[in-house]
Amino acid sequence: MKLYEQFSSEIKVKIEHGYYQPGQKLPSIRDMSTSRGVSISTVQEAYRLLEDTGMVMSRPKSGYYVQQQQNTDLLPDISRPEQKPVDVAHWDEVLTLTTTESHHNFVAFGGGAPDITLKTLKPLQRIHADLSRQQPRCLFENAKGNGLEELREQIVRLMQNSGCYLHPDDIVITTGCQEALSLSLKAISKPGDIIAIDSPSFYGSMQAIQSNGLKVIEIPTHPETGISMTALEMALEQWPIKAIQLIPTSNNPLGYIMPDKNKRKLLELASRYDFAIIEDDIFGDLVYQTPRPKTIKSFDTEGRVLMCSSFSKTVAPGLRIGWVAAGRYGKLLTHLKFITSLGSTALPQLALSQFIQQGYFEKHLRTARTQYQRGRDCMIHWVQQYFPEGTKMTYPQGGVGLWVELPGDIDTLELNKKLLAFNTGIAPGTLFSASDKYRNCLRLNYATVPDDRIKSAVKTIGEQAKLMLDT
């Protein structure tokens, strides 16, 4: 065995025995070389070998960090939702989750927001303030039509990272991704139509389906690869499905990335059965791997895909800037945007376009992805440490949410009520189902810097779940 291989094995043993914790930074190459009396090249090769095996990951200009290792036995099973069209419920629970005011001592794991305290957002604050002084009229003006051309040009440039090559006129700026989803549904359906979704699925998109008078059919979904193509095809043979709506990249809430072969298969089914695809790519740029995966839209040659996204998860939800590339439905969607709200506020669009153009957005993304990946690793480690035996969880490939499946018949709606006394909140699993599934599941947001306060809150959730399991 070569020296670097031996050295790599020693570090591997330390990781496996908890000497180096998930998310922890390893000593720098120079420090490790000095302390162990080996050459820098030996440490470099050892770290690279550990990186190749997935034990550690390198972060540019930062160093090497221990990767969380996920046991596939701990993954939830493929979901088994109702195989028939149903109405969407749980609006009261969604309203409570999204409108409850929380104080600074409250640890809110229930939402899907990013960390808006990152220092890499300061240039955006400066740009916004400068524009308010230099161009005060844009503070009160409305960006009519498809939105500011400057921003649409930057969005088109960013979309090339996912394999999409579009024209700025193909983009319609919306008030967040939620409006993009709602307008897309209006463009491709009428009340009473059936929309297929992955299951579990984001509660916001399901409420958009409900508000448009549509029914949903939930498709069984694997926590690593997404919807079952076999189950979808069986549903298409049985029901007149008008469209499928899903988050194929950094899925919310499971965190999976749909394989490219499944994306192509989905487009083939869409052509054969003549339905539209609403692709929610809101977490697409928060994938931890580089380069980021291609979108379904990038494989679309028939204009069937309406790709929706926003800067709510990558930058800040308060901007309320989203967009949709609607393909063959573009003209209709532009009209729907006009009759719905005429346009969107100009100042945030102008500030964001400059934020992107000046290179700050890419820098911010790198920082956010690094923090969120570390947050994921710490969250998984704490759940394994504090939650009841038999708990299962996903292994998100991007985004900010961890899906957890508790053992037994623990009702996470009741668990969430108990947690209020501890200034802690979660997202109960039933919110992510149209048919009252996943009562023993929950989603945890790990976007916040993983510190002792977050660790203590996760421990409290685990302790309360154990108490419920014992009673």
Side-chain angles (χ1 to χ4, degrees), residues 62-92:
S62 180
Y64 287 84
Y65 291 78
V66 179
Q67 277 270 49
Q68 174 68 47
Q69 302 300 306
Q70 177 69 332
N71 185 342
T72 55
D73 292 338
L74 297 178
L75 288 172
D77 297 328
I78 188 170
S79 62
R80 303 294 178 189
E82 296 287 339
Q83 293 285 268
K84 61 181 181 181
V86 297
D87 292 316
V88 176
H90 301 300
W91 165 239
D92 290 339

PDB file of all heavy atoms in Angstrom, residues 62-92:
ATOM      1  N   SER A  62     -11.809  26.901   0.366  1.00  0.00           N
ATOM      2  CA  SER A  62     -12.192  26.645   1.747  1.00  0.00           C
ATOM      3  C   SER A  62     -11.498  25.432   2.331  1.00  0.00           C
ATOM      4  O   SER A  62     -11.022  25.455   3.452  1.00  0.00           O
ATOM      5  CB  SER A  62     -13.718  26.475   1.851  1.00  0.00           C
ATOM      6  OG  SER A  62     -14.097  26.224   3.183  1.00  0.00           O
ATOM      7  N   GLY A  63     -11.451  24.322   1.572  1.00  0.00           N
ATOM      8  CA  GLY A  63     -10.801  23.119   2.071  1.00  0.00           C
ATOM      9  C   GLY A  63     -11.629  21.881   1.865  1.00  0.00           C
ATOM     10  O   GLY A  63     -12.534  21.840   1.020  1.00  0.00           O
ATOM     11  N   TYR A  64     -11.344  20.856   2.659  1.00  0.00           N
ATOM     12  CA  TYR A  64     -12.038  19.569   2.547  1.00  0.00           C
ATOM     13  C   TYR A  64     -12.932  19.357   3.771  1.00  0.00           C
ATOM     14  O   TYR A  64     -12.523  19.627   4.903  1.00  0.00           O
ATOM     15  CB  TYR A  64     -11.024  18.428   2.439  1.00  0.00           C
ATOM     16  CG  TYR A  64     -10.327  18.362   1.101  1.00  0.00           C
ATOM     17  CD1 TYR A  64      -9.213  19.147   0.835  1.00  0.00           C
ATOM     18  CD2 TYR A  64     -10.805  17.523   0.099  1.00  0.00           C
ATOM     19  CE1 TYR A  64      -8.571  19.093  -0.400  1.00  0.00           C
ATOM     20  CE2 TYR A  64     -10.166  17.466  -1.147  1.00  0.00           C
ATOM     21  CZ  TYR A  64      -9.055  18.252  -1.384  1.00  0.00           C
ATOM     22  OH  TYR A  64      -8.438  18.194  -2.607  1.00  0.00           O
ATOM     23  N   TYR A  65     -14.152  18.849   3.501  1.00  0.00           N
ATOM     24  CA  TYR A  65     -15.141  18.635   4.558  1.00  0.00           C
ATOM     25  C   TYR A  65     -15.648  17.194   4.518  1.00  0.00           C
ATOM     26  O   TYR A  65     -15.748  16.588   3.448  1.00  0.00           O
ATOM     27  CB  TYR A  65     -16.326  19.593   4.387  1.00  0.00           C
ATOM     28  CG  TYR A  65     -15.971  21.038   4.650  1.00  0.00           C
ATOM     29  CD1 TYR A  65     -15.297  21.795   3.694  1.00  0.00           C
ATOM     30  CD2 TYR A  65     -16.308  21.649   5.851  1.00  0.00           C
ATOM     31  CE1 TYR A  65     -14.964  23.121   3.927  1.00  0.00           C
ATOM     32  CE2 TYR A  65     -15.989  22.978   6.093  1.00  0.00           C
ATOM     33  CZ  TYR A  65     -15.315  23.706   5.128  1.00  0.00           C
ATOM     34  OH  TYR A  65     -14.992  25.023   5.359  1.00  0.00           O
ATOM     35  N   VAL A  66     -16.026  16.694   5.693  1.00  0.00           N
ATOM     36  CA  VAL A  66     -16.546  15.333   5.796  1.00  0.00           C
ATOM     37  C   VAL A  66     -17.955  15.288   5.217  1.00  0.00           C
ATOM     38  O   VAL A  66     -18.812  16.104   5.574  1.00  0.00           O
ATOM     39  CB  VAL A  66     -16.566  14.861   7.261  1.00  0.00           C
ATOM     40  CG1 VAL A  66     -17.139  13.448   7.355  1.00  0.00           C
ATOM     41  CG2 VAL A  66     -15.160  14.898   7.850  1.00  0.00           C
ATOM     42  N   GLN A  67     -18.191  14.343   4.328  1.00  0.00           N
ATOM     43  CA  GLN A  67     -19.507  14.148   3.739  1.00  0.00           C
ATOM     44  C   GLN A  67     -20.358  13.279   4.633  1.00  0.00           C
ATOM     45  O   GLN A  67     -19.873  12.342   5.269  1.00  0.00           O
ATOM     46  CB  GLN A  67     -19.384  13.452   2.376  1.00  0.00           C
ATOM     47  CG  GLN A  67     -19.081  14.386   1.237  1.00  0.00           C
ATOM     48  CD  GLN A  67     -20.339  14.920   0.600  1.00  0.00           C
ATOM     49  OE1 GLN A  67     -21.240  15.390   1.289  1.00  0.00           O
ATOM     50  NE2 GLN A  67     -20.418  14.849  -0.707  1.00  0.00           N
ATOM     51  N   GLN A  68     -21.675  13.601   4.689  1.00  0.00           N
ATOM     52  CA  GLN A  68     -22.611  12.725   5.372  1.00  0.00           C
ATOM     53  C   GLN A  68     -22.813  11.476   4.532  1.00  0.00           C
ATOM     54  O   GLN A  68     -23.085  11.555   3.336  1.00  0.00           O
ATOM     55  CB  GLN A  68     -23.960  13.431   5.568  1.00  0.00           C
ATOM     56  CG  GLN A  68     -25.050  12.549   6.153  1.00  0.00           C
ATOM     57  CD  GLN A  68     -24.758  12.175   7.584  1.00  0.00           C
ATOM     58  OE1 GLN A  68     -24.404  13.017   8.385  1.00  0.00           O
ATOM     59  NE2 GLN A  68     -24.909  10.912   7.903  1.00  0.00           N
ATOM     60  N   GLN A  69     -22.654  10.309   5.140  1.00  0.00           N
ATOM     61  CA  GLN A  69     -22.855   9.055   4.435  1.00  0.00           C
ATOM     62  C   GLN A  69     -24.254   8.518   4.710  1.00  0.00           C
ATOM     63  O   GLN A  69     -24.636   8.332   5.866  1.00  0.00           O
ATOM     64  CB  GLN A  69     -21.808   8.013   4.879  1.00  0.00           C
ATOM     65  CG  GLN A  69     -20.377   8.466   4.665  1.00  0.00           C
ATOM     66  CD  GLN A  69     -20.091   8.758   3.208  1.00  0.00           C
ATOM     67  OE1 GLN A  69     -20.301   7.923   2.326  1.00  0.00           O
ATOM     68  NE2 GLN A  69     -19.598   9.963   2.940  1.00  0.00           N
ATOM     69  N   GLN A  70     -25.018   8.305   3.664  1.00  0.00           N
ATOM     70  CA  GLN A  70     -26.395   7.859   3.836  1.00  0.00           C
ATOM     71  C   GLN A  70     -26.521   6.368   3.581  1.00  0.00           C
ATOM     72  O   GLN A  70     -26.131   5.861   2.533  1.00  0.00           O
ATOM     73  CB  GLN A  70     -27.342   8.614   2.882  1.00  0.00           C
ATOM     74  CG  GLN A  70     -28.791   8.153   2.947  1.00  0.00           C
ATOM     75  CD  GLN A  70     -29.466   8.519   4.255  1.00  0.00           C
ATOM     76  OE1 GLN A  70     -28.819   8.644   5.287  1.00  0.00           O
ATOM     77  NE2 GLN A  70     -30.756   8.674   4.232  1.00  0.00           N
ATOM     78  N   ASN A  71     -27.040   5.668   4.566  1.00  0.00           N
ATOM     79  CA  ASN A  71     -27.339   4.243   4.432  1.00  0.00           C
ATOM     80  C   ASN A  71     -28.644   4.093   3.657  1.00  0.00           C
ATOM     81  O   ASN A  71     -29.684   4.613   4.069  1.00  0.00           O
ATOM     82  CB  ASN A  71     -27.465   3.618   5.828  1.00  0.00           C
ATOM     83  CG  ASN A  71     -27.645   2.109   5.776  1.00  0.00           C
ATOM     84  OD1 ASN A  71     -28.012   1.550   4.741  1.00  0.00           O
ATOM     85  ND2 ASN A  71     -27.387   1.461   6.894  1.00  0.00           N
ATOM     86  N   THR A  72     -28.611   3.394   2.520  1.00  0.00           N
ATOM     87  CA  THR A  72     -29.827   3.256   1.702  1.00  0.00           C
ATOM     88  C   THR A  72     -30.939   2.543   2.455  1.00  0.00           C
ATOM     89  O   THR A  72     -32.114   2.689   2.099  1.00  0.00           O
ATOM     90  CB  THR A  72     -29.518   2.489   0.402  1.00  0.00           C
ATOM     91  OG1 THR A  72     -28.914   1.222   0.732  1.00  0.00           O
ATOM     92  CG2 THR A  72     -28.575   3.275  -0.479  1.00  0.00           C
ATOM     93  N   ASP A  73     -30.589   1.786   3.502  1.00  0.00           N
ATOM     94  CA  ASP A  73     -31.627   1.129   4.297  1.00  0.00           C
ATOM     95  C   ASP A  73     -32.466   2.151   5.056  1.00  0.00           C
ATOM     96  O   ASP A  73     -33.573   1.842   5.505  1.00  0.00           O
ATOM     97  CB  ASP A  73     -30.993   0.156   5.296  1.00  0.00           C
ATOM     98  CG  ASP A  73     -30.341  -1.032   4.603  1.00  0.00           C
ATOM     99  OD1 ASP A  73     -30.725  -1.318   3.454  1.00  0.00           O
ATOM    100  OD2 ASP A  73     -29.466  -1.663   5.208  1.00  0.00           O
ATOM    101  N   LEU A  74     -31.913   3.364   5.231  1.00  0.00           N
ATOM    102  CA  LEU A  74     -32.632   4.396   5.968  1.00  0.00           C
ATOM    103  C   LEU A  74     -33.534   5.232   5.069  1.00  0.00           C
ATOM    104  O   LEU A  74     -34.276   6.079   5.555  1.00  0.00           O
ATOM    105  CB  LEU A  74     -31.628   5.318   6.673  1.00  0.00           C
ATOM    106  CG  LEU A  74     -30.734   4.661   7.736  1.00  0.00           C
ATOM    107  CD1 LEU A  74     -29.751   5.684   8.309  1.00  0.00           C
ATOM    108  CD2 LEU A  74     -31.570   4.045   8.850  1.00  0.00           C
ATOM    109  N   LEU A  75     -33.464   5.029   3.762  1.00  0.00           N
ATOM    110  CA  LEU A  75     -34.320   5.776   2.848  1.00  0.00           C
ATOM    111  C   LEU A  75     -35.769   5.326   2.964  1.00  0.00           C
ATOM    112  O   LEU A  75     -36.049   4.131   3.135  1.00  0.00           O
ATOM    113  CB  LEU A  75     -33.855   5.586   1.404  1.00  0.00           C
ATOM    114  CG  LEU A  75     -32.561   6.270   0.983  1.00  0.00           C
ATOM    115  CD1 LEU A  75     -32.160   5.810  -0.418  1.00  0.00           C
ATOM    116  CD2 LEU A  75     -32.719   7.781   1.013  1.00  0.00           C
ATOM    117  N   PRO A  76     -36.721   6.250   2.865  1.00  0.00           N
ATOM    118  CA  PRO A  76     -38.128   5.858   2.842  1.00  0.00           C
ATOM    119  C   PRO A  76     -38.420   4.978   1.626  1.00  0.00           C
ATOM    120  O   PRO A  76     -37.735   5.057   0.608  1.00  0.00           O
ATOM    121  CB  PRO A  76     -38.866   7.192   2.737  1.00  0.00           C
ATOM    122  CG  PRO A  76     -37.883   8.222   3.182  1.00  0.00           C
ATOM    123  CD  PRO A  76     -36.537   7.696   2.791  1.00  0.00           C
ATOM    124  N   ASP A  77     -39.428   4.147   1.726  1.00  0.00           N
ATOM    125  CA  ASP A  77     -39.841   3.330   0.589  1.00  0.00           C
ATOM    126  C   ASP A  77     -40.514   4.215  -0.459  1.00  0.00           C
ATOM    127  O   ASP A  77     -40.894   5.355  -0.179  1.00  0.00           O
ATOM    128  CB  ASP A  77     -40.821   2.245   1.043  1.00  0.00           C
ATOM    129  CG  ASP A  77     -40.183   1.260   2.020  1.00  0.00           C
ATOM    130  OD1 ASP A  77     -38.974   1.011   1.892  1.00  0.00           O
ATOM    131  OD2 ASP A  77     -40.895   0.764   2.907  1.00  0.00           O
ATOM    132  N   ILE A  78     -40.675   3.689  -1.669  1.00  0.00           N
ATOM    133  CA  ILE A  78     -41.409   4.419  -2.700  1.00  0.00           C
ATOM    134  C   ILE A  78     -42.824   4.674  -2.192  1.00  0.00           C
ATOM    135  O   ILE A  78     -43.438   3.828  -1.527  1.00  0.00           O
ATOM    136  CB  ILE A  78     -41.427   3.626  -4.027  1.00  0.00           C
ATOM    137  CG1 ILE A  78     -42.018   4.498  -5.148  1.00  0.00           C
ATOM    138  CG2 ILE A  78     -42.169   2.319  -3.895  1.00  0.00           C
ATOM    139  CD1 ILE A  78     -41.850   3.904  -6.536  1.00  0.00           C
ATOM    140  N   SER A  79     -43.337   5.869  -2.438  1.00  0.00           N
ATOM    141  CA  SER A  79     -44.652   6.245  -1.914  1.00  0.00           C
ATOM    142  C   SER A  79     -45.762   5.422  -2.568  1.00  0.00           C
ATOM    143  O   SER A  79     -45.630   4.954  -3.703  1.00  0.00           O
ATOM    144  CB  SER A  79     -44.908   7.734  -2.145  1.00  0.00           C
ATOM    145  OG  SER A  79     -44.916   8.051  -3.524  1.00  0.00           O
ATOM    146  N   ARG A  80     -46.864   5.249  -1.835  1.00  0.00           N
ATOM    147  CA  ARG A  80     -48.023   4.490  -2.319  1.00  0.00           C
ATOM    148  C   ARG A  80     -49.297   5.313  -2.152  1.00  0.00           C
ATOM    149  O   ARG A  80     -50.156   5.023  -1.333  1.00  0.00           O
ATOM    150  CB  ARG A  80     -48.163   3.173  -1.542  1.00  0.00           C
ATOM    151  CG  ARG A  80     -46.928   2.262  -1.601  1.00  0.00           C
ATOM    152  CD  ARG A  80     -46.688   1.752  -2.998  1.00  0.00           C
ATOM    153  NE  ARG A  80     -45.485   0.909  -3.065  1.00  0.00           N
ATOM    154  CZ  ARG A  80     -44.954   0.466  -4.194  1.00  0.00           C
ATOM    155  NH1 ARG A  80     -45.507   0.805  -5.354  1.00  0.00           N
ATOM    156  NH2 ARG A  80     -43.864  -0.284  -4.181  1.00  0.00           N
ATOM    157  N   PRO A  81     -49.448   6.377  -2.955  1.00  0.00           N
ATOM    158  CA  PRO A  81     -50.641   7.227  -2.826  1.00  0.00           C
ATOM    159  C   PRO A  81     -51.861   6.600  -3.474  1.00  0.00           C
ATOM    160  O   PRO A  81     -51.787   5.543  -4.106  1.00  0.00           O
ATOM    161  CB  PRO A  81     -50.224   8.497  -3.573  1.00  0.00           C
ATOM    162  CG  PRO A  81     -49.288   7.996  -4.632  1.00  0.00           C
ATOM    163  CD  PRO A  81     -48.536   6.859  -3.991  1.00  0.00           C
ATOM    164  N   GLU A  82     -52.994   7.276  -3.298  1.00  0.00           N
ATOM    165  CA  GLU A  82     -54.240   6.846  -3.953  1.00  0.00           C
ATOM    166  C   GLU A  82     -54.059   6.895  -5.468  1.00  0.00           C
ATOM    167  O   GLU A  82     -53.540   7.869  -6.007  1.00  0.00           O
ATOM    168  CB  GLU A  82     -55.398   7.756  -3.556  1.00  0.00           C
ATOM    169  CG  GLU A  82     -55.758   7.719  -2.077  1.00  0.00           C
ATOM    170  CD  GLU A  82     -56.448   6.438  -1.688  1.00  0.00           C
ATOM    171  OE1 GLU A  82     -57.009   5.764  -2.581  1.00  0.00           O
ATOM    172  OE2 GLU A  82     -56.427   6.093  -0.492  1.00  0.00           O
ATOM    173  N   GLN A  83     -54.496   5.837  -6.163  1.00  0.00           N
ATOM    174  CA  GLN A  83     -54.337   5.784  -7.617  1.00  0.00           C
ATOM    175  C   GLN A  83     -55.628   6.190  -8.330  1.00  0.00           C
ATOM    176  O   GLN A  83     -56.102   5.519  -9.242  1.00  0.00           O
ATOM    177  CB  GLN A  83     -53.911   4.375  -8.033  1.00  0.00           C
ATOM    178  CG  GLN A  83     -52.503   3.996  -7.554  1.00  0.00           C
ATOM    179  CD  GLN A  83     -51.418   4.689  -8.372  1.00  0.00           C
ATOM    180  OE1 GLN A  83     -50.931   4.173  -9.357  1.00  0.00           O
ATOM    181  NE2 GLN A  83     -51.032   5.893  -7.949  1.00  0.00           N
ATOM    182  N   LYS A  84     -56.179   7.326  -7.883  1.00  0.00           N
ATOM    183  CA  LYS A  84     -57.377   7.867  -8.523  1.00  0.00           C
ATOM    184  C   LYS A  84     -57.413   9.376  -8.304  1.00  0.00           C
ATOM    185  O   LYS A  84     -56.798   9.895  -7.362  1.00  0.00           O
ATOM    186  CB  LYS A  84     -58.630   7.227  -7.929  1.00  0.00           C
ATOM    187  CG  LYS A  84     -58.807   7.476  -6.432  1.00  0.00           C
ATOM    188  CD  LYS A  84     -60.056   6.791  -5.902  1.00  0.00           C
ATOM    189  CE  LYS A  84     -60.227   7.072  -4.400  1.00  0.00           C
ATOM    190  NZ  LYS A  84     -61.429   6.397  -3.859  1.00  0.00           N
ATOM    191  N   PRO A  85     -58.101  10.119  -9.163  1.00  0.00           N
ATOM    192  CA  PRO A  85     -58.173  11.569  -9.009  1.00  0.00           C
ATOM    193  C   PRO A  85     -58.892  11.962  -7.722  1.00  0.00           C
ATOM    194  O   PRO A  85     -59.916  11.372  -7.357  1.00  0.00           O
ATOM    195  CB  PRO A  85     -58.972  12.016 -10.248  1.00  0.00           C
ATOM    196  CG  PRO A  85     -58.798  10.906 -11.231  1.00  0.00           C
ATOM    197  CD  PRO A  85     -58.739   9.656 -10.410  1.00  0.00           C
ATOM    198  N   VAL A  86     -58.356  12.946  -7.020  1.00  0.00           N
ATOM    199  CA  VAL A  86     -58.949  13.419  -5.770  1.00  0.00           C
ATOM    200  C   VAL A  86     -58.888  14.940  -5.734  1.00  0.00           C
ATOM    201  O   VAL A  86     -58.172  15.579  -6.505  1.00  0.00           O
ATOM    202  CB  VAL A  86     -58.218  12.843  -4.531  1.00  0.00           C
ATOM    203  CG1 VAL A  86     -58.337  11.321  -4.493  1.00  0.00           C
ATOM    204  CG2 VAL A  86     -56.746  13.265  -4.536  1.00  0.00           C
ATOM    205  N   ASP A  87     -59.658  15.514  -4.801  1.00  0.00           N
ATOM    206  CA  ASP A  87     -59.590  16.948  -4.558  1.00  0.00           C
ATOM    207  C   ASP A  87     -58.482  17.229  -3.548  1.00  0.00           C
ATOM    208  O   ASP A  87     -58.229  16.432  -2.645  1.00  0.00           O
ATOM    209  CB  ASP A  87     -60.925  17.464  -4.012  1.00  0.00           C
ATOM    210  CG  ASP A  87     -62.039  17.389  -5.046  1.00  0.00           C
ATOM    211  OD1 ASP A  87     -61.790  17.759  -6.205  1.00  0.00           O
ATOM    212  OD2 ASP A  87     -63.154  16.957  -4.684  1.00  0.00           O
ATOM    213  N   VAL A  88     -57.851  18.381  -3.679  1.00  0.00           N
ATOM    214  CA  VAL A  88     -56.795  18.780  -2.753  1.00  0.00           C
ATOM    215  C   VAL A  88     -57.418  19.344  -1.484  1.00  0.00           C
ATOM    216  O   VAL A  88     -58.351  20.133  -1.528  1.00  0.00           O
ATOM    217  CB  VAL A  88     -55.878  19.840  -3.393  1.00  0.00           C
ATOM    218  CG1 VAL A  88     -54.832  20.324  -2.392  1.00  0.00           C
ATOM    219  CG2 VAL A  88     -55.202  19.263  -4.629  1.00  0.00           C
ATOM    220  N   ALA A  89     -56.880  18.919  -0.335  1.00  0.00           N
ATOM    221  CA  ALA A  89     -57.369  19.392   0.958  1.00  0.00           C
ATOM    222  C   ALA A  89     -56.254  20.117   1.703  1.00  0.00           C
ATOM    223  O   ALA A  89     -55.265  20.542   1.120  1.00  0.00           O
ATOM    224  CB  ALA A  89     -57.906  18.209   1.764  1.00  0.00           C
ATOM    225  N   HIS A  90     -56.430  20.265   3.023  1.00  0.00           N
ATOM    226  CA  HIS A  90     -55.418  20.793   3.953  1.00  0.00           C
ATOM    227  C   HIS A  90     -55.126  22.280   3.790  1.00  0.00           C
ATOM    228  O   HIS A  90     -54.056  22.733   4.206  1.00  0.00           O
ATOM    229  CB  HIS A  90     -54.104  20.005   3.832  1.00  0.00           C
ATOM    230  CG  HIS A  90     -54.247  18.544   4.119  1.00  0.00           C
ATOM    231  ND1 HIS A  90     -54.690  18.065   5.329  1.00  0.00           N
ATOM    232  CD2 HIS A  90     -54.010  17.457   3.338  1.00  0.00           C
ATOM    233  CE1 HIS A  90     -54.720  16.741   5.286  1.00  0.00           C
ATOM    234  NE2 HIS A  90     -54.323  16.357   4.102  1.00  0.00           N
ATOM    235  N   TRP A  91     -56.072  23.054   3.249  1.00  0.00           N
ATOM    236  CA  TRP A  91     -55.812  24.479   3.122  1.00  0.00           C
ATOM    237  C   TRP A  91     -55.634  25.139   4.489  1.00  0.00           C
ATOM    238  O   TRP A  91     -54.755  25.994   4.669  1.00  0.00           O
ATOM    239  CB  TRP A  91     -56.934  25.174   2.357  1.00  0.00           C
ATOM    240  CG  TRP A  91     -56.915  26.673   2.490  1.00  0.00           C
ATOM    241  CD1 TRP A  91     -57.871  27.485   2.977  1.00  0.00           C
ATOM    242  CD2 TRP A  91     -55.821  27.550   2.153  1.00  0.00           C
ATOM    243  NE1 TRP A  91     -57.480  28.798   2.965  1.00  0.00           N
ATOM    244  CE2 TRP A  91     -56.213  28.865   2.455  1.00  0.00           C
ATOM    245  CE3 TRP A  91     -54.545  27.344   1.618  1.00  0.00           C
ATOM    246  CZ2 TRP A  91     -55.397  29.967   2.261  1.00  0.00           C
ATOM    247  CZ3 TRP A  91     -53.723  28.446   1.419  1.00  0.00           C
ATOM    248  CH2 TRP A  91     -54.149  29.743   1.738  1.00  0.00           C
ATOM    249  N   ASP A  92     -56.433  24.743   5.483  1.00  0.00           N
ATOM    250  CA  ASP A  92     -56.328  25.352   6.807  1.00  0.00           C
ATOM    251  C   ASP A  92     -54.937  25.139   7.404  1.00  0.00           C
ATOM    252  O   ASP A  92     -54.354  26.044   8.006  1.00  0.00           O
ATOM    253  CB  ASP A  92     -57.396  24.778   7.746  1.00  0.00           C
ATOM    254  CG  ASP A  92     -58.795  25.238   7.378  1.00  0.00           C
ATOM    255  OD1 ASP A  92     -58.920  26.265   6.683  1.00  0.00           O
ATOM    256  OD2 ASP A  92     -59.768  24.565   7.782  1.00  0.00           O
TER     257      ASP A  92
END
